[in-house]
Amino acid sequence: MGRKRIRAWKHIYYGIASLIFFSLINCATIKDIDIMKQKEDSKYLLQGHKLLAQRNYEGALSEYEKVLSLSPSKAQEAEVFFNMGLIYAHYGYPKRDYKKSLNFFIKILNDYPESPFFEQAKIWIGVLQEHRQISQMIEKLKQ
């Protein structure tokens, strides 16, 4: 009579232990997936840097957009926006657009104040605004 109760409790304990074991395995798997995602984000970020150094601006923009689509960390987002702003302001980029560049730097100021790119973005905003003012003055003088 006593054995049946003990056996029943053993099955309950075994079931609870199994649930705990499988939940711990799932947590470890989720962490592994996050680590793999971060490595993939970094791969695209590094590839974007390489393409930018090689003056392949379209390729670099494409890689940076991949990083953004993979929902990276805030630090990576700020770095991507900063580099995209640099590309759109670069004299060698045939499709340069100072307005887009300015918008990327303003986004860093508004959304990422703790970023190491914050101060550099402020400097670039000043440079681009001054460029716009000088361009407007030149246009007025031409007229």
Side-chain angles (χ1 to χ4, degrees):
M1 192 155 132
R3 288 188 179 261
K4 288 184 182 179
R5 281 191 207 165
I6 292 174
R7 235 184 240 162
W9 282 106
K10 282 184 181 180
H11 291 296
I12 291 172
Y13 290 142
Y14 177 73
I16 291 171
S18 298
L19 287 173
I20 291 170
F21 176 74
F22 287 121
S23 66
L24 290 175
I25 287 176
N26 285 337
C27 289
T29 305
I30 291 170
K31 282 183 180 181
D32 291 342
I33 290 171
D34 288 342
I35 290 170
M36 288 174 50
K37 245 182 162 181
Q38 287 175 353
K39 285 183 181 179
E40 188 175 358
D41 296 346
S42 297
K43 179 180 77 170
Y44 291 126
L45 189 63
L46 289 174
Q47 184 64 26
H49 292 334
K50 286 179 186 176
L51 292 171
L52 180 58
Q54 296 170 357
R55 298 179 187 249
N56 181 350
Y57 305 110
E58 292 295 327
L61 286 172
S62 174
E63 293 297 316
Y64 291 142
E65 287 171 6
K66 286 178 188 175
V67 173
L68 290 175
S69 69
L70 294 172
S71 67
S73 67
K74 288 273 196 183
Q76 282 184 331
E77 284 180 3
E79 184 176 359
V80 166
F81 287 131
F82 182 78
N83 288 326
M84 289 174 85
L86 288 179
I87 290 172
Y88 280 107
H90 198 282
Y91 69 91
Y93 182 49
K95 297 180 185 176
R96 78 177 150 266
D97 185 346
Y98 296 123
K99 194 172 189 175
K100 276 186 179 179
S101 179
L102 187 63
N103 289 336
F104 282 121
F105 293 129
I106 289 172
K107 183 169 182 63
I108 292 171
L109 288 187
N110 293 336
D111 298 344
Y112 308 98
E114 72 286 344
S115 168
F117 298 99
F118 183 82
E119 288 299 321
Q120 293 179 41
K122 280 177 28 178
I123 292 168
W124 274 102
I125 288 170
V127 168
L128 291 171
Q129 287 176 340
E130 187 174 330
H131 178 270
R132 183 174 48 181
Q133 290 171 352
I134 291 172
S135 296
Q136 290 172 351
M137 285 176 27
I138 290 171
E139 288 298 319
K140 285 181 184 178
L141 290 174
K142 283 182 181 179
Q143 294 174 358

